[in-house]
Amino acid sequence: MDDMIYENYKRAGKIAADARNYGVTLLKPGARFLDVATLVEKKITENDAGLAFPVNIACNTLAAHYSPRHDDPLTFKKGDVVKLDVGAHVEGYIADTAITVELETHLYDTMIQASSEALENAITVINPKIPLCDVGKTIEKTITSYGYKPIENLMGHGLGRYELHSGLSVPNVGALGGKMQPKDGDVVAIEPFATNGAGHVISGAGSNIYLCKDSIKAKFIRDNKTKTMFDKINKHFGTLPFAQRWFYGLFPKDDIAIKKLSFLGVMKHYPQLVEAKGGMVTQKEHTVIVREDGCEVIT
Ligand code: CO
């Protein structure tokens, strides 16, 4: 990895970590999801980094993929198990990190510990000499040793320039991920999830998180207004996911157009990912640069 790219990753990592830690201080019963997301995103942009994706806030049985709407009424309650997932980029080089916080109660301390220790152990074992399924095995072993299940259909992922999911997958169980091995200089987000439920997630309602997915197909949109809107959104957000809040800021009251773009298949609306049996879910995530002899954590 050349020095410039490395410096960009280091900066993105520091900014994402600072924003995550700042976000934790805002998580209190009565606080609004919307305020937390907005303030954490502001922290990232104030530090001259870009938003790699909208701040994700997932509570309790929701594992991932929720970002508040511009008018979101949700507030935190005592006892909520909150996953705060934050991404920053510098020149397109992305750092992705997440933490779980239980608000004012301690019913899920060991589950929080399970995903956290699974991440630590994964960081200890990952290197270019072992297949990623072995990293999954380590995560699975750690989480099951606490009496919980890893979520098997959520995976860590390689990070590319302006690309949130590139090439590699880092499984949370030993049976997935195959024999693929990371290379020196690969950047990956490792994110173990633990649950007392089924051990997999299913798709729920919309997350308010979108992605422009097919700019070729978009050339064939007949309605001019819709086409112009797609072009504007695509120019603005490119290959990275964006929030309804951000879109709303660009084109007030155009929820209907974005629904149409999703319907046409040129825009993806991510679903919320909910634990299949309604289990509680914890998560911890760091971004690492794989090195010959291990890895460097940048978040
Ligand atoms: Co993440």
Side-chain angles (χ1 to χ4, degrees), residues 57-72:
I57 298 171
C59 279
N60 305 325
T61 65
L62 182 62
H65 291 181
Y66 185 80
S67 197
R69 281 177 54 85
H70 74 281
D71 54 358
D72 206 293

Side-chain angles (χ1 to χ4, degrees), residues 53 85 96 285:
F53 53 84
D85 199 332
D96 180 355
E285 177 178 30

Side-chain angles (χ1 to χ4, degrees), residues 40-51:
V40 173
E41 287 168 1
K42 193 163 156 234
K43 191 75 162 177
I44 293 171
T45 53
E46 275 175 0
N47 281 312
D48 288 328
L51 303 171

Side-chain angles (χ1 to χ4, degrees), residues 86-246:
V86 172
H89 76 83
V90 175
E91 302 289 331
Y93 300 103
I94 299 171
D96 180 355
T97 179
I99 192 164
T100 302
V101 181
E102 182 178 352
L103 304 186
E104 296 185 353
T105 53
H106 293 279
L107 294 172
Y108 296 98
D109 283 355
T110 61
M111 200 190 291
I112 291 171
Q113 182 65 29
S115 47
S116 176
E117 198 179 305
L119 177 60
E120 282 167 35
N121 292 343
I123 286 168
T124 307
V125 301
I126 195 168
N127 71 57
K129 286 164 220 90
I130 70 160
L132 289 166
C133 61
D134 284 5
V135 179
K137 214 171 279 170
T138 300
I139 291 172
E140 181 172 14
K141 232 170 107 181
T142 311
I143 292 174
T144 52
S145 78
Y146 278 86
Y148 300 112
K149 289 178 186 166
I151 294 189
E152 61 183 18
N153 58 343
L154 290 176
M155 291 190 205
H157 45 94
L159 293 162
R161 193 175 186 200
Y162 291 109
E163 202 181 354
L164 196 51
H165 291 262
S166 77
L168 297 173
S169 291
V170 187
N172 289 324
V173 292
L176 297 172
K179 293 288 165 201
M180 200 127 122
Q181 291 175 221
K183 300 184 307 296
D184 177 60
D186 276 348
V187 182
V188 293
I190 309 175
E191 49 180 331
F193 289 81
T195 182
N196 56 4
H200 63 272
V201 288
I202 51 175
S203 296
S207 64
N208 311 317
I209 303 165
Y210 296 85
L211 180 75
C212 293
K213 66 170 188 183
D214 199 337
S215 42
I216 295 172
K217 211 174 188 176
K219 291 198 194 334
F220 300 100
I221 298 172
R222 280 201 218 112
D223 168 31
N224 249 332
K225 192 171 163 239
T226 312
K227 191 171 182 308
T228 306
M229 175 160 303
F230 178 85
D231 290 342
K232 273 191 186 169
I233 293 173
N234 197 25
K235 198 170 154 217
H236 220 84
F237 303 114
T239 52
L240 293 173
F242 59 95
Q244 178 275 344
R245 285 176 282 122
W246 306 351

